[in-house]
Amino acid sequence: MEEILARLEEIEKEALSAIEIAHNQEALEEIRVRYLGRKGIVNAILRGIKDVPPELRPTIGQKGNEVKEKIQTALEQRLKALKQAELSTGPRLDITLPGRRAYFYGTLHPITQTLREICDIFLRMGFEIAEGPDVEVGFYNFDALNIPPHHPARDMHDTFFVAKEAKLSPHFPKEKDDILLRTHTSSIQIRVMKNQPPPVRIIAPGAVYRCDADVSHTPMFHQVEGLLVDKNVSFTHLKGILTAFMEAIFGEKIGVRFRPSYFPFTEPSAEMDISCVICGGKGCRVCKGTGWLEILGCGMVDPAVFIQVGYDPEEWTGFAFGLGVERIAMLKYGIDDIRLFFENHLRFLRQF
Amino acid sequence: MLVPVKWLKEFVDFPYSPAELAERLTMTGLEVEGIEEPFSYLKKVVVGQIETVKPHPNADRLKICVVSLGEDKLEIVCGAPNVREGMRVPLALPGCKLPSGLEVKKTKIRGIKSPGMLCSQKELGLGEDHSGIWTLPKDLKIGLTLAEALGLDDAVLEVSITPNRGDCLSILGVAREIAALTKQKVRYPEVNIEETGAPADEEFKVTVVHPDHCYRYVGRLIRDIKLGPSPWWMQARLLLAGIRPINNIVDITNYVMLECGQPLHAFDAERIAKKHIIVRLAKEGERITTLDGKEHALTSLDLLICDLKGPIALAGIMGGHNSEITPETRHVFLESAYFNPVTIRKTAKRLGISTEASYRFEREVDPEDTFFAAQRASYLMQLLAAGKVAPRAIDVYPKPYRPKRVFLRIPRVKQILGMEIKKEQVVDILKALQIEVKEGDNTLELIPPSYRHDLEREIDFIEEVARLYGYENIPSSFPVIPLKAKPISFAQKIREQIKDIMAGLGWSEVITYAFIDPKIFDKLRLPQNHPLRKVPKLLNPLTSERAVMRSTLIPGLLEACDYNRRQQISHLRLFELSKVFFQHKENNLPEERYKLGGILSGYHYDFSWHFNPPQEADFYDLKGNIEALLKAIGIEGVKFVFQEDIPYLHPARSAYVIKEDKTIGYLGEIHPEVQEAWDLKYTAFVFELDIDALLGCMPDQKRFKPLPKFPFTSRDAAFIVPLDFVAQEIEDFVFDLKVSYLEKISIIDVYQGKGIPEGTKSLTYRLVYRAPDRTLTDEEVEKIHKTIVNKILKQFQITVR
């Protein structure tokens, strides 16, 4: 018996080392047949069991099964390893070749992206979006905003007028029923306030038009007008909301300042500056050495505007602001020529 | 406005450097846009005196001048004919950059060293004279820099004055602002007239015919003036303020205007017919030739200064050619008036003239200051032009200034500013602005100075308080806002969603100008009466290429496509979602509609090794994208039908997009003539969808349909059909049969060629069958499928392949 057991152990060693050096599936199969096949070596040995006394047979049987299992496991493991080795030694794809796609990604215009960012910030602060016509009546664009005809403040707006059938008045500039391209989205303020009682909390994004074209002006550009009217709204709130906005869009570290200015439809009026995003306030070409960049105009709604729309200026107060979208986009992305926005060069559009 | 700092210092003291002053002014509302030293190059030019003039050994026309600079002496080579011994001259030293761009260097001229250059007035940028070396006045100290000697060594602030602050359009006006800041008083300039001769009002008469347009007219007569250049200190200040010196009389009027903000005009007194000034509106068609030699036709809204013969000046804008000061002028009639700002503005705008005078009158001058300005100018004429001022000014003041009285409630200050400013401080600020204050309990009674036309209402004074208190000293806070806020509208949301989907499909968004060239309508082959031609037209377009508003996005897209072609990009997909405009009725606001438009050109796919050789894009590239977009926003059951009436599309390769009998847009290949007109490299495909129409077809709410529980079975069927047979017909027919268990029919193959008769094509459809409650048997499916195929064959009289 001892002899049979020793024989089995020997076979096991032999088989395992044969498996270890087998280099392909065929060799493994040969080994399997040779050792584990019906007529294989292990079975042949086990057939010798009949010469062994019956009480010892279970021991040998057990040993035989153990050896079979070990060989079987070794075969499987080796097979797995061989297959794995085959995957990595087989032919490889050139993974450096460009992938297959029908079409490159599309992009949203940087103005759209900037507008969305601006609107999102104000929407989160509880503002609503209002809209109005691009082609506007003079009354909404000027008169109702406390800019009477023949007021020098109209010089701040180079206006495109729309031709009318009626004979043109020689009394240039025009009367309040003139039709024109809105020069600012402030006209929407009036439309909103005329249509709803206070409180009002709106932003009004849109295209605006000025008769001006040079290196730093395009005849069409985009503005976001904002208006907040409620009881007890004051200049401190104007500063708070607009500072929070600038921090949201340019980062918490941005410096801001408010300085007195003039807009006919707000009083007190202010110009808001941010610390120069190019030089960080040290002074450079972009900020003309001042360290500050003009970013938006704002102010407390002039009582004359409230009276125009039928709000009681004693009861309601509010602030308004208007910001240029191109200006913000240029500063954010470092674009140095406003005209690029409207050339629609695909290499430009794809950068955003 | 240009403000020389030293001039400012004459009227008010301040402890600031120019940069600090700029900062303070900016923070109180007078924005300083720049600080310049316009004549800094004159710091490298010195006053010298020619001691000897020697001939140049190697050149006949050159001379060598020994120039004394006080202690030093330099030998300078010079070619000018007028150099003389004893002459005082400007010597530009090496390193000096002259206005022409020339930099003075140490040189050798014909073998002789010349460490500098003697200059003419023109070379120094200080006048027109280029006839020779500038002979400097003897009172300029030798050795001083020219900048210093002439008073040009000054910093100049470029101040931007907002339209409401006409009172700051003068040096005194800016000085008053500084005085309010520093709580000081301004010093007014000197007037010390010695009147002689016959009184002016005995010789001259002034009649204001239209007092609504001329509130005040002050005239002074100055006799026996000696016309000549004004002294250098005055010329220097004018130059620093950006005004060209002319002669002492004109310079004085300009100088006093800059000083006080009151425009003045000097007439040649002997050229005023009958010595009678009449201020009146022009007669329709009346004409005047102004000083600049231009003739203007006038209307009854223009204000004139006339004599008994006719117009002698365009009031408040420009003097007349017939009454201007000439070298022969002996006596001057000086005008200082207050004209109605609207009158002046209307005329100036209509004639397209803007002068220093009209700019100030439009922004209102101080009616109470007209007299002082006349006095000041008369005094300067006496002082600098040897004029004899006639006694008694003429002062016609038909509409005297009435001080305004305004009440300011102290609690209102807090309501607007959101912080409390103590009453004493409010009073302090207002008084510093020369506002008269009468204190009540909680109210102030205020009278602003006559130059502050912008202070009329309570809010105007609150702004003054905030301005001088300093915006930077007002804290920031947040308003308490109720949480309730409306979500953004469905339309706004969908517009943004559509842009996202288009970008996802590989399209790049463009933004094009809303105005286009009306000639584009011809390029688009639109007939004269086409509705797309009914657009708002601009009265004053910048160029004819941007003269009308667009009624379609296609021109902008074609332009963008063309622009990119010139940048060597011809494979592209561009879209725009924006407004178009239709002028249905004149004099009304136009209709504005949002459209989504796009242009596709190039290949099916981006060029790559996978799709090489590339294949040019066609109609189906565009259609597939439109289908994907519509599906993505939830619009199903859209039909594409042939269109024949869009002139800029290829009639056989374009379609309307229809949903339930409503046209929501179109798509197709651009018409070959249009293609040619834009010179595009590849065939372009365009589309436009009407956003409102899309919104109208969109489900309010997407609804869930239960997912199928049983498997489907599919059968294919191929038919031989004539070439012009439209695939959709069979689909529609089968759909209308409403066969149970037929889930879907779709075309899977279109074939033409070998194996089927000429003039026909084969269409293969796949029909998908499924029951909701069980698995269909093969027999069942076979039966239904056969029925459908037979019905198709019968309906269309076609055969199975």
Side-chain angles (χ1 to χ4, degrees):
Chain A
M1 188 194 82
E2 293 298 322
E3 202 177 315
I4 295 177
L5 289 179
R7 179 79 183 120
L8 277 172
E9 253 167 51
E10 203 176 298
I11 293 298
E12 182 190 315
K13 262 189 207 154
E14 193 184 300
L16 290 185
S17 63
I19 288 166
E20 210 171 304
I21 57 165
H23 277 300
N24 53 42
Q25 291 190 40
E26 291 76 44
L28 278 179
E29 181 60 16
E30 246 170 57
I31 295 168
R32 193 190 66 77
V33 173
R34 187 157 158 243
Y35 290 93
L36 301 181
R38 238 170 350 113
K39 295 177 181 164
I41 298 174
V42 177
N43 278 341
I45 294 170
L46 289 178
R47 268 195 292 279
I49 207 165
K50 55 187 188 292
D51 307 328
V52 175
E55 68 276 15
L56 293 177
R57 282 179 196 169
T59 317
I60 293 172
Q62 204 185 338
K63 181 69 185 174
N65 282 336
E66 263 177 44
V67 170
K68 273 189 184 174
E69 249 167 61
K70 274 191 184 157
I71 296 173
Q72 186 62 39
T73 312
L75 278 169
E76 280 165 17
Q77 274 175 0
R78 183 65 188 152
L79 184 62
K80 219 171 159 185
L82 279 178
K83 280 187 177 163
Q84 176 62 35
E86 240 170 71
L87 286 181
S88 31
T89 54
R92 289 206 295 182
L93 274 188
D94 180 355
I95 48 87
T96 65
L97 282 172
R100 184 180 300 117
R101 53 171 160 68
Y103 209 85
F104 211 58
Y105 62 92
T107 49
L108 293 179
H109 196 281
I111 291 302
T112 296
Q113 295 188 37
T114 309
L115 257 172
R116 280 190 184 178
E117 203 175 333
I118 295 167
C119 291
D120 280 349
I121 293 167
F122 285 111
L123 285 170
R124 272 181 273 137
M125 292 195 211
F127 284 74
E128 291 163 19
I129 294 180
E131 293 180 278
D134 290 34
V135 183
E136 204 24 299
V137 182
F139 175 77
Y140 290 105
N141 195 75
F142 288 129
D143 306 68
L145 286 161
N146 200 27
I147 316 176
H150 316 299
H151 192 279
R154 291 206 177 192
D155 284 354
M156 293 151 86
H157 300 248
D158 292 317
T159 312
F160 283 116
F161 291 95
V162 172
K164 299 205 298 184
E165 191 181 33
K167 204 174 149 256
L168 288 170
S169 152
H171 305 180
F172 198 91
K174 318 288 163 177
E175 317 299 338
K176 63 181 168 197
D177 57 346
D178 269 326
I179 296 176
L180 44 82
L181 304 188
R182 65 179 175 205
T183 58
H184 47 189
T185 45
S186 310
S187 50
I188 300 173
Q189 270 189 35
I190 303 298
R191 287 184 174 271
V192 170
M193 286 195 281
K194 281 201 152 223
N195 283 320
Q196 72 167 81
V200 177
R201 213 155 64 214
I202 54 147
I203 49 167
V208 299
Y209 307 86
R210 305 236 179 128
C211 232
D212 203 352
D214 57 41
V215 192
S216 47
H217 297 89
T218 49
M220 181 180 98
F221 54 100
H222 297 79
Q223 272 191 349
V224 175
E225 173 83 5
L227 174 70
L228 186 140
V229 179
D230 211 328
K231 288 185 176 161
N232 305 316
V233 174
S234 70
F235 197 85
T236 61
H237 300 142
L238 172 151
K239 283 187 73 173
I241 293 266
L242 293 177
T243 304
F245 167 75
M246 288 305 165
E247 287 173 357
I249 204 142
F250 288 111
E252 295 283 333
K253 282 193 190 132
I254 198 81
V256 302
R257 72 174 187 185
F258 292 81
R259 57 187 165 79
S261 188
Y262 169 73
F263 306 103
F265 40 101
T266 53
E267 188 154 12
S269 298
E271 198 77 62
M272 184 179 188
D273 296 340
I274 55 169
S275 53
C276 181
V277 294
I278 310 293
C279 65
K282 286 196 275 300
C284 66
R285 194 180 53 88
V286 176
C287 61
K288 292 188 204 150
T290 62
W292 294 100
L293 295 169
E294 226 171 274
I295 197 82
L296 63 75
C298 54
M300 301 301 293
V301 178
D302 195 294
V305 174
F306 281 146
I307 287 165
Q308 270 291 351
V309 298
Y311 288 9
D312 179 359
E314 292 293 316
E315 191 181 351
W316 304 96
T317 50
F319 66 81
F321 57 89
L323 55 90
V325 182
E326 278 77 2
R327 174 100 171 130
I328 291 188
M330 288 171 84
L331 293 174
K332 269 192 85 73
Y333 299 121
I335 298 167
D336 58 2
D337 188 343
I338 190 172
R339 294 170 299 190
L340 285 167
F341 289 117
F342 304 102
E343 281 171 356
N344 297 306
H345 190 154
L346 202 54
R347 293 184 187 95
F348 170 79
L349 298 173
R350 284 209 167 136
Q351 292 185 21
F352 305 98
Chain B
M1 197 185 55
L2 297 176
V3 181
V5 172
K6 280 188 186 160
W7 197 348
L8 208 48
K9 280 194 169 147
E10 198 171 301
F11 303 128
V12 67
D13 297 323
F14 49 86
Y16 314 125
S17 71
E20 284 162 349
L21 179 65
E23 168 80 9
R24 294 298 305 258
L25 285 174
T26 297
M27 293 310 284
T28 42
L30 299 189
E31 189 192 350
V32 177
E33 291 183 327
I35 309 170
E36 302 276 334
E37 242 185 277
F39 297 103
S40 57
Y41 60 92
L42 294 182
K43 287 180 175 171
K44 290 211 168 139
V45 180
V46 286
V47 179
Q49 175 149 308
I50 298 177
E51 295 206 328
T52 44
V53 180
K54 302 182 284 192
H56 190 291
N58 307 324
D60 290 348
R61 299 177 61 180
L62 294 178
K63 298 177 187 92
I64 299 169
C65 305
V66 179
V67 182
S68 156
L69 304 176
E71 292 181 2
D72 295 333
K73 280 188 184 124
L74 293 174
E75 285 197 354
I76 305 294
V77 179
C78 178
N82 68 331
V83 285
R84 303 272 178 281
E85 279 168 21
M87 181 174 160
R88 215 153 280 195
V89 289
L91 172 64
L93 299 173
C96 173
K97 262 198 189 136
L98 294 171
S100 64
L102 179 80
E103 190 178 332
V104 178
K105 287 184 183 126
K106 274 189 186 170
T107 53
K108 254 188 189 173
I109 301 173
R110 294 273 180 117
I112 302 290
K113 280 189 195 161
S114 182
M117 176 180 147
L118 300 179
C119 301
S120 72
Q121 199 173 22
K122 191 176 179 181
E123 279 167 329
L124 293 171
L126 296 173
E128 293 308 311
D129 191 0
H130 193 48
S131 58
I133 301 305
W134 186 13
T135 311
L136 294 176
K138 285 281 180 206
D139 56 352
L140 297 190
K141 199 172 164 237
I142 296 169
L144 277 186
T145 69
L146 197 61
E148 217 179 329
L150 296 177
L152 288 166
D153 55 338
D154 198 2
V156 177
L157 305 184
E158 193 189 337
V159 188
S160 154
I161 309 284
T162 52
N164 59 326
R165 292 303 303 273
D167 65 294
C168 288
L169 290 169
S170 64
I171 310 295
L172 262 171
V174 176
R176 282 192 298 249
E177 280 290 301
I178 298 170
L181 263 177
T182 56
K183 307 263 154 66
Q184 308 234 345
K185 287 249 175 297
V186 297
R187 293 180 289 269
Y188 280 85
E190 188 193 9
V191 173
N192 190 2
I193 298 174
E194 291 164 34
E195 297 176 339
T196 51
D201 57 358
E202 284 172 12
E203 198 181 329
F204 275 83
K205 207 171 134 191
V206 172
T207 310
V208 175
V209 181
H210 295 110
D212 284 345
H213 301 280
C214 173
Y215 297 0
R216 188 175 192 181
Y217 195 102
V218 174
R220 284 224 81 147
L221 180 62
I222 300 100
R223 299 191 182 93
D224 299 324
I225 55 105
K226 286 206 170 57
L227 202 70
S230 37
W232 253 101
W233 61 264
M234 180 176 276
Q235 292 196 37
R237 283 186 170 176
L238 290 174
L239 283 167
L240 285 165
I243 288 184
R244 195 166 53 93
I246 295 170
N247 58 47
N248 48 8
I249 298 301
V250 175
D251 289 356
I252 287 168
T253 60
N254 283 331
Y255 185 84
V256 175
M257 174 184 72
L258 292 176
E259 199 172 57
C260 309
Q262 169 68 49
L264 301 169
H265 186 65
F267 294 99
D268 182 332
E270 288 173 300
R271 295 169 80 187
I272 298 172
K274 305 281 181 196
K275 301 183 176 179
H276 189 172
I277 295 266
I278 299 157
V279 185
R280 62 158 172 88
L281 291 173
K283 291 175 202 124
E284 206 67 44
E286 206 169 351
R287 290 176 168 272
I288 185 169
T289 303
T290 41
L291 298 170
D292 54 2
K294 289 191 183 121
E295 196 186 15
H296 306 280
L298 306 174
T299 75
S300 60
L301 296 169
D302 303 321
L303 190 67
L304 287 175
I305 310 299
C306 304
D307 60 13
L308 277 186
K309 277 203 261 169
I312 55 170
L314 198 50
I317 299 173
M318 201 182 275
H321 183 62
N322 56 2
S323 60
E324 71 175 318
I325 304 292
T326 67
E328 287 73 48
T329 300
R330 295 191 299 160
H331 314 313
V332 166
F333 186 84
L334 181 73
E335 164 198 290
S336 175
Y338 178 96
F339 298 116
N340 183 330
V342 173
T343 312
I344 302 303
R345 183 171 165 81
K346 279 185 187 172
T347 301
K349 276 267 145 185
R350 189 177 56 77
L351 299 178
I353 313 175
S354 180
T355 60
E356 293 280 344
S358 70
Y359 193 82
R360 284 175 174 78
F361 281 123
E362 283 177 34
R363 283 155 182 75
E364 293 201 65
V365 299
D366 181 359
E368 293 288 274
D369 195 44
T370 41
F371 191 80
F372 176 78
Q375 293 293 90
R376 171 73 174 151
S378 304
Y379 169 65
L380 288 175
M381 287 183 192
Q382 167 192 308
L383 195 69
L384 306 174
K388 297 190 177 69
V389 183
R392 297 218 292 268
I394 300 170
D395 187 357
V396 183
Y397 200 174
K399 290 189 82 166
Y401 174 77
R402 275 208 300 270
K404 287 160 284 192
R405 197 173 302 272
V406 182
F407 292 91
L408 172 67
R409 297 161 296 170
I410 297 294
R412 180 73 172 165
V413 177
K414 190 185 173 196
Q415 191 190 359
I416 298 292
L417 301 184
M419 69 169 300
E420 186 147 345
I421 300 178
K422 286 212 171 63
K423 187 173 141 192
E424 300 76 62
Q425 208 172 349
V426 171
V427 170
D428 232 37
I429 289 172
L430 294 173
K431 279 187 172 162
L433 288 162
Q434 306 304 311
I435 295 165
E436 271 180 53
V437 183
K438 219 192 235 170
E439 288 184 52
D441 266 354
N442 240 337
T443 307
L444 305 177
E445 192 185 327
L446 307 171
I447 299 175
S450 57
Y451 49 84
R452 291 301 299 271
H453 301 281
D454 60 322
L455 302 183
E456 289 180 318
R457 304 167 303 159
E458 185 182 41
I459 192 74
D460 302 327
F461 291 91
I462 295 176
E463 181 174 63
E464 290 305 289
V465 172
R467 202 164 67 82
L468 279 130
Y469 183 77
Y471 284 7
E472 67 273 29
N473 298 321
I474 299 174
S476 290
S477 71
F478 285 93
V480 177
I481 288 180
L483 276 173
K484 198 179 141 235
K486 275 185 238 147
I488 65 167
S489 75
F490 183 64
Q492 285 160 359
K493 201 169 93 188
I494 296 306
R495 286 204 302 264
E496 294 311 308
Q497 198 185 331
I498 287 174
K499 290 184 195 171
D500 285 335
I501 293 167
M502 291 306 289
L505 288 169
W507 295 65
S508 290
E509 188 192 12
V510 298
I511 296 180
T512 65
Y513 287 125
F515 12 64
I516 57 172
D517 187 345
K519 283 201 201 99
I520 282 177
F521 295 136
D522 298 330
K523 277 168 107 179
L524 289 178
R525 308 175 69 251
L526 300 183
Q528 282 312 312
N529 57 351
H530 197 278
L532 286 180
R533 285 187 185 260
K534 294 220 168 64
V535 288
K537 297 170 184 65
L538 299 186
L539 259 185
N540 55 335
L542 275 176
T543 64
S544 63
E545 278 128 55
R546 311 222 177 277
V548 301
M549 300 304 279
R550 63 185 169 203
S551 50
T552 153
L553 299 174
I554 303 302
L557 290 163
L558 282 165
E559 201 180 307
C561 192
D562 182 49
Y563 182 85
N564 277 289
R565 179 188 60 80
R566 283 183 274 122
Q567 315 306 322
Q568 298 174 291
I569 302 173
S570 292
H571 170 62
L572 45 71
R573 296 170 181 204
L574 306 175
F575 80 96
E576 178 165 23
L577 196 164
S578 198
K579 279 181 181 175
V580 299
F581 305 83
F582 297 97
Q583 191 77 54
H584 298 302
K585 252 172 95 182
E586 305 265 6
N587 300 347
N588 281 12
L589 285 187
E591 182 194 5
E592 302 187 0
R593 296 186 76 90
Y594 276 103
K595 297 269 184 187
L596 170 69
I599 190 162
L600 177 155
S601 154
Y603 311 117
H604 288 320
Y605 312 119
D606 280 352
F607 176 77
S608 79
W609 64 284
H610 301 284
F611 308 118
N612 196 12
Q615 284 185 301
E616 263 193 55
D618 62 26
F619 176 83
Y620 299 106
D621 288 286
L622 179 58
K623 189 181 173 193
N625 279 276
I626 305 281
E627 286 167 331
L629 167 70
L630 294 173
K631 176 82 184 150
I633 56 173
I635 298 180
E636 307 210 29
V638 165
K639 297 244 168 75
F640 293 82
V641 303
F642 280 111
Q643 75 74 29
E644 277 163 4
D645 45 3
I646 300 175
Y648 47 92
L649 295 186
H650 192 303
R653 296 177 190 169
S654 57
Y656 278 128
V657 186
I658 308 267
K659 162 86 180 173
E660 281 150 14
D661 301 331
K662 251 176 55 193
T663 305
I664 57 177
Y666 64 83
L667 75 162
E669 184 175 319
I670 208 93
H671 193 284
E673 284 178 22
V674 178
Q675 174 89 20
E676 214 170 291
W678 259 278
D679 194 25
L680 301 176
K681 186 170 174 195
Y682 295 99
T683 310
F685 301 87
V686 296
F687 77 93
E688 240 181 334
L689 295 172
D690 188 278
I691 297 294
D692 287 329
L694 287 182
L695 290 171
C697 316
M698 285 179 66
D700 294 339
Q701 184 66 59
K702 285 185 178 166
R703 285 270 160 217
F704 165 74
K705 280 181 233 126
L707 300 171
K709 291 196 177 69
F710 295 91
F712 68 85
T713 312
S714 67
R715 292 282 186 282
D716 294 350
F719 304 100
I720 306 282
V721 297
L723 273 183
D724 60 353
F725 191 89
V726 175
Q728 178 85 31
E729 281 199 52
I730 290 182
E731 284 178 38
D732 288 350
F733 172 70
V734 171
F735 186 76
D736 286 344
L737 290 176
K738 297 200 162 47
V739 183
S740 354
Y741 308 141
L742 175 73
E743 190 175 83
K744 205 167 101 185
I745 172 167
S746 48
I747 188 135
I748 58 165
D749 189 35
V750 180
Y751 176 75
Q752 197 180 329
K754 219 174 149 190
I756 57 166
E758 207 158 288
T760 65
K761 62 185 174 186
S762 150
L763 299 176
T764 309
Y765 294 86
R766 177 159 295 165
L767 292 87
V768 175
Y769 302 95
R770 191 200 311 259
D773 52 351
R774 66 200 156 87
T775 304
L776 290 171
T777 63
D778 271 4
E779 294 77 48
E780 274 178 294
V781 171
E782 201 52 44
K783 211 177 126 193
I784 306 168
H785 186 66
K786 241 185 197 146
T787 320
I788 295 176
V789 169
N790 285 333
K791 281 188 176 164
I792 293 172
L793 296 179
K794 206 174 146 200
Q795 171 73 18
F796 296 103
Q797 294 295 311
I798 52 177
T799 53
V800 171
R801 186 180 168 195

